[in-house]
């Protein structure tokens, strides 16, 4: 009898447990989190589909110390930006308006506007092949940023350089927070939104610059031509442009240009690894000297000057009648090694070595050098063309990120997965051939 | 007030000597910021003026002031007249030589000034271009790029110390 009563007392609990179990079984399984590549693609696509405005906090080296700067940031799809700097006092009132073609910087204190090229071309980039080849992309889970759920993604370079963490809004793909970490100095740059609003349709007029009455205008346009080769740029500038023979693995020639400021004419070569950039500026030595500030260093036994700006590092030296300036975020040792390779004068020896090792006509090596490619790039392009059965110019375009994996797979008549496997093998083979930047 | 190139180039010398009114001064300044050839002409004028300003003041030949102040006095014949004529010729020849030297040295001095100026602003000019080029990378923070290029603009316009030196 006592057993029956006990069973009767347990019955409602048992029923409740069964109902709960049934409910659990019937509920749809939570969606699987997207792959880290998908999350990164979401972040890449976001600026093209969404408008926002928010308050951004930037903590970065400035004026020889770490400073915190606040700015109101407005974005209109696909690539229009307006930045109103709020603090500290020396930047308060500074305005930057970029309509996707031209960038205007207005400084109210001077009633002066500076007109230059847009800074938003990266917002239109649709492919991350170059970045994926040169960075380890890792998902670090999810975190909350200003009350919004965000995926945390880390981009760590295969070579030396700054790694980046991105907090990507789950709902919109907007990057809510970034953190850049220098291998020798720790975190060098942090930016985050302290407030952000989406679902806006910001007026286009807000992204058109109107020159205030009486303001003077300075035009600061370098003539940038992504298709320009160092040889062509040298012809325009009137001197022979030096092309770096070796750069850290993954850096590829991404374009160049000529800038004129007063009587100073400089050629600029840019090399990208998909997320970071190295710029090399060359000018006749007679037109510019070394700055009076910075640190004296030696490269290949010759004097050079290093200016460490906390985030950017600048290395300056003279060579063969030219004044060379390398600017990037890579470690000092890497910049010194790049300069050392340029100063070593091993052009002919390296050309001969690469031509022999990858069994390619010396004329091809010479032509690619004149187009700005480093010797490791030439090795990669030739090995890739041989392995995939494609021509060398197509291999170069793919390696420079101007041809996506999908496009090349279509041309080669293989699936993207097969192509990626072939590319990996080809790059491994090229890497074993060299040449490499000396390790420090 | 806006000036065309022709008018601005005519006013450069007066601008250099601070002989213009506020409106014309501002207009010439604005034109100089935009016009490379006027900047070059201005630098040339400024250099020449500096060079000439550094020259020693040539003393007139003995007897010059006496001759100016007392033209009615009878001149001494013979040696004194010859010395006077010879002295004037030496003075004119010296002045011509100094002027020729100044003109010949102008490009050299101007080149040196340009080179010094380029050395001073070179790092900021190149960092600015590098930062702008970084806009082509998809995940670069544009608010930070704007801050960097904005700071460099101030150096290029002569309103701030170069990066890597004293605080702006």
């Amino acid at each position: 009898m006592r057993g029956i009563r006990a069973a009767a007392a347990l019955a409602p609990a048992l029923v409740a447990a069964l109902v709960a179990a049934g409910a659990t079984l019937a509920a749809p399984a939570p969606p699987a989190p997207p792959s880290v590549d998908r999350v990164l693609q979401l972040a890449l696509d976001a600026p093209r589909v969404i408008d926002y405005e928010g308050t951004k906090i930037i903590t970065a080296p400035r004026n020889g110390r770490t400073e915190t700067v606040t700015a109101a940031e407005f974005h209109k799809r696909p690539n229009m930006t307006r930045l109103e700097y709020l603090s500290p006092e020396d930047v308060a009132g500074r305005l930057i308006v970029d309509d996707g073609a031209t960038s205007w910087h207005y400084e109210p204190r001077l009633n002066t506007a500076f007109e230059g090229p847009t800074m938003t071309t990266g917002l239109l980039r649709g492919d991350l092949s170059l970045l994926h080849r040169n960075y380890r992309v890792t998902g670090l889970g999810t975190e909350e940023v200003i009350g919004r759920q965000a995926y945390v993604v880390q981009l760590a370079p295969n070579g030396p350089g700054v790694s980046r963490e991105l907090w990507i809004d789950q709902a919109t793909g907007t990057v809510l927070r970034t953190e850049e970490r220098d291998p020798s100095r720790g975190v060098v740059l942090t930016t985050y939104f302290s407030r952000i609003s989406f679902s806006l349709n910001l007026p286009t007029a807000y992204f058109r610059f109107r020159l205030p009455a009486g303001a003077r205008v300075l035009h600061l346009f370098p003539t940038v031509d992504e298709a320009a080769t160092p040889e062509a740029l040298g012809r325009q500038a009137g001197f022979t442009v030096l092309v770096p023979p070796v750069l850290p693995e993954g850096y590829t020639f991404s374009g160049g240009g000529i800038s004129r400021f007063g009587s100073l004419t400089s050629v600029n070569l840019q090399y990208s690894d998909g997320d970071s950039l190295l710029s090399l500026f060359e000018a006749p030595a007679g037109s510019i000297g070394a700055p009076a500030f910075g640190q004296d260093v030696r490269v290949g036994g010759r004097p050079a000057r290093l200016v460490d700006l906390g985030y950017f590092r600048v290395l300056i030296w003279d060579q063969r009648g030219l004044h060379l300036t390398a600017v990037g975020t890579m470690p000092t040792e890497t910049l010194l090694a790049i300069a050392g390779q340029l100063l070593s004068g091993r052009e002919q020896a390296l050309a001969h070595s690469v031509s022999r090792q990858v069994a390619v006509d010396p004329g091809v090596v010479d032509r690619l050098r004149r187009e700005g490619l480093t010797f490791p790039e030439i090795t990669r392009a030739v090995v890739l063309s041989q392995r995939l059965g494609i021509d060398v110019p197509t291999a170069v375009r793919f390696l420079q990120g101007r041809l996506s994996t999908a496009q090349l797979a279509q041309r080669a008549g293989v699936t993207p997965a097969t192509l990626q496997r072939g590319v990996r093998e080809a790059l491994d083979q090229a890497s074993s051939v060299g040449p490499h930047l000396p390790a420090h | 007030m806006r000036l065309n190139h022709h008018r601005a180039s005519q006013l450069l010398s007066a601008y250099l000597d601070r002989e213009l009114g506020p409106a014309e001064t501002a207009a010439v300044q604005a034109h100089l910021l935009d016009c490379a050839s006027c900047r070059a002409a201005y630098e040339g004028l400024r250099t020449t003026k500096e060079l000439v300003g550094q020259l020693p003041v040539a003393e007139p030949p003995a007897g010059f002031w006496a001759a100016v102040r007392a033209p009615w006095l009878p001149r001494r014949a013979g040696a004194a007249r010859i010395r006077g004529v010879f002295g004037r010729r030496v003075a004119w020849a010296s002045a011509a030589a100094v002027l020729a030297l100044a003109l010949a040295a102008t490009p050299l001095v101007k080149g040196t000034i340009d080179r010094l100026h380029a050395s001073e602003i070179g790092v900021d000019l190149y960092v600015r271009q590098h930062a702008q080029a970084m806009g082509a990378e998809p995940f670069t923070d544009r608010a930070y790029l704007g801050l960097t290029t904005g700071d460099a603009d101030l150096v290029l316009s002569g309103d701030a110390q170069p990066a890597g030196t004293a605080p702006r």
Side-chain angles (χ1 to χ4, degrees):
Chain A
M1 190 65 186
R2 219 169 63 196
I4 293 168
R5 269 207 304 272
L10 280 172
L14 190 64
V15 169
L18 286 170
V19 167
T24 306
L25 288 171
S35 70
V36 67
D37 291 353
R38 178 76 199 97
V39 171
L40 210 55
Q41 191 64 43
L42 183 72
L44 186 72
D45 295 339
R48 290 195 285 271
V49 294
I50 200 153
D51 293 3
Y52 64 75
E53 65 91 11
T55 305
K56 184 169 265 184
I57 315 293
I58 306 157
T59 304
R62 187 167 177 263
N63 300 335
R65 58 181 182 270
T66 300
E67 273 195 9
T68 297
V69 174
T70 311
E73 181 173 318
F74 303 78
H75 169 77
K76 181 168 181 64
R77 58 190 184 274
N79 64 337
M80 290 188 245
T81 300
R82 180 184 177 98
L83 295 158
E84 296 171 2
Y85 292 85
L86 307 171
S87 71
E89 197 180 340
D90 68 323
V91 295
R94 179 180 295 179
L95 171 69
I96 289 183
V97 178
D98 194 320
D99 62 7
T102 303
S103 179
W104 286 91
H105 158 212
Y106 176 67
E107 202 69 31
R109 186 167 50 84
L110 306 174
N111 197 21
T112 301
F114 304 82
E115 185 191 16
T118 179
M119 291 190 293
T120 64
T121 50
L123 297 178
L124 297 178
R125 191 187 282 188
D127 184 71
L128 291 172
S129 301
L130 191 58
L131 185 145
H132 279 297
R133 261 203 307 280
N134 297 316
Y135 284 79
R136 295 184 303 282
V137 182
T138 313
L140 301 179
T142 59
E143 276 183 23
E144 201 178 273
V145 180
I146 48 167
R148 302 179 68 88
Q149 283 298 305
Y151 300 113
V152 189
V153 176
Q154 185 188 55
L155 310 175
N158 293 332
V162 169
S163 64
R164 193 191 299 266
E165 280 179 26
L166 304 168
W167 280 255
I168 298 165
D169 186 36
Q170 284 189 3
T172 65
T174 303
V175 176
L176 299 175
R177 178 185 171 94
T178 63
E179 209 170 272
E180 290 191 34
R181 195 176 291 269
D182 182 285
S184 61
R185 286 191 285 224
V187 175
V188 285
L189 173 66
T190 306
T191 70
Y192 66 92
F193 282 105
S194 61
R195 179 192 67 78
I196 191 163
S197 300
F198 298 101
S199 305
L200 304 164
N201 190 11
L202 295 170
T204 308
Y206 209 47
F207 299 87
R208 282 198 205 107
F209 180 70
R210 286 179 185 78
L211 190 67
R216 62 175 180 169
V217 181
L218 277 173
H219 305 280
L220 295 168
F221 272 99
T223 55
V224 176
D225 182 355
E226 287 187 5
T229 64
E231 189 179 35
L233 293 171
R235 269 200 304 273
Q236 285 181 54
F239 56 85
T240 303
V241 174
L242 295 174
V243 177
V246 187
L247 289 178
E249 187 122 0
Y251 275 86
T252 182
F253 182 63
S254 59
I258 291 184
S259 68
R260 291 189 170 85
F261 188 84
S263 63
L264 176 66
T265 299
S266 316
V267 165
N268 170 22
L269 304 181
Q270 287 156 9
Y271 292 84
S272 167
D273 68 352
D275 192 46
S276 289
L277 194 72
L278 172 76
S279 295
L280 186 65
F281 297 90
E282 304 183 18
S287 62
I288 178 171
F293 44 89
Q295 176 192 350
D296 285 328
V297 291
R298 294 194 81 77
V299 182
R302 297 170 69 166
R305 191 68 59 86
L306 177 74
V307 181
D308 191 338
L309 300 176
Y311 183 74
F312 295 113
R313 291 182 177 95
V314 184
L315 183 66
I316 302 150
W317 72 99
D318 282 355
Q319 179 177 352
R320 286 169 54 181
L322 293 179
H323 179 87
L324 283 89
T325 305
V327 187
T329 53
M330 48 187 54
T332 302
E333 297 74 24
T334 310
L335 280 180
L336 292 172
I338 291 166
Q341 287 293 314
L342 259 162
L343 280 162
S344 69
R346 297 194 302 141
E347 181 74 28
Q348 291 306 317
L350 285 171
H352 178 70
S353 168
V354 166
S355 163
R356 188 172 47 80
Q357 286 188 297
V358 296
V360 69
D361 187 276
V364 173
V365 177
D366 182 51
R367 177 172 55 75
L368 294 176
R369 281 295 286 159
R370 281 186 276 119
E371 288 177 8
L373 274 69
T374 63
F375 285 109
E377 273 187 278
I378 295 171
T379 307
R380 284 196 291 272
V382 171
V383 170
L384 191 66
S385 74
Q386 291 168 346
R387 193 171 266 263
L388 299 181
I390 56 176
D391 56 45
V392 173
T394 301
V396 169
R397 287 182 63 212
F398 173 71
L399 288 174
Q400 292 181 338
R402 290 187 281 133
L403 195 66
S404 71
T405 303
Q407 288 168 323
L408 183 60
Q410 197 176 13
R411 282 193 187 194
V414 295
T415 65
T418 308
L419 178 77
Q420 278 175 342
R421 203 166 42 247
V423 169
R424 217 167 21 247
E425 288 168 2
L427 295 186
D428 286 347
Q429 183 189 338
S431 182
S432 66
V433 172
H436 302 285
L437 205 61
H440 282 260
Chain B
M1 178 184 198
R2 285 189 71 84
L3 295 175
N4 61 29
H5 174 76
H6 179 67
R7 179 68 184 140
S9 61
Q10 285 180 330
L11 292 176
L12 285 179
S13 180
Y15 172 72
L16 184 66
D17 293 332
R18 299 167 191 261
E19 290 169 353
L20 299 179
E24 279 182 323
T25 299
V28 172
Q29 278 173 344
H31 183 79
L32 281 173
L33 287 167
D34 277 345
C35 177
S37 71
C38 278
R39 268 201 308 274
Y42 172 71
E43 287 295 340
L45 278 172
R46 191 161 65 94
T47 307
T48 307
K49 190 184 175 194
E50 280 173 7
L51 278 172
V52 171
Q54 287 166 10
L55 294 174
V57 177
E59 286 298 322
F64 174 79
W65 289 114
V68 169
R69 285 170 189 152
W72 58 89
L73 291 175
R75 293 182 180 215
R76 289 181 194 164
R81 197 169 63 208
I82 291 166
R83 200 167 54 237
V85 171
F86 179 72
R88 277 197 299 276
R89 283 185 182 165
V90 168
W92 279 112
S94 302
V98 164
L99 186 63
L101 185 68
L103 289 174
T106 297
L108 193 69
V109 176
K110 182 183 176 306
T112 305
I113 290 170
D114 282 350
R115 190 170 191 272
L116 288 171
H117 181 59
S119 308
E120 199 181 319
I121 52 94
V123 167
D124 286 277
L125 180 68
Y126 293 153
V127 165
R128 181 188 201 281
Q129 280 189 40
H130 177 77
Q132 283 202 312
M134 279 177 69
E137 305 298 344
F139 298 119
T140 306
D141 191 276
R142 275 152 194 86
Y144 177 64
L145 293 186
L147 181 68
T148 305
T149 54
D151 285 348
D153 285 343
L154 297 187
V155 177
L156 300 183
S157 69
D159 187 66
Q161 292 288 309
T165 59
R168 292 159 205 266

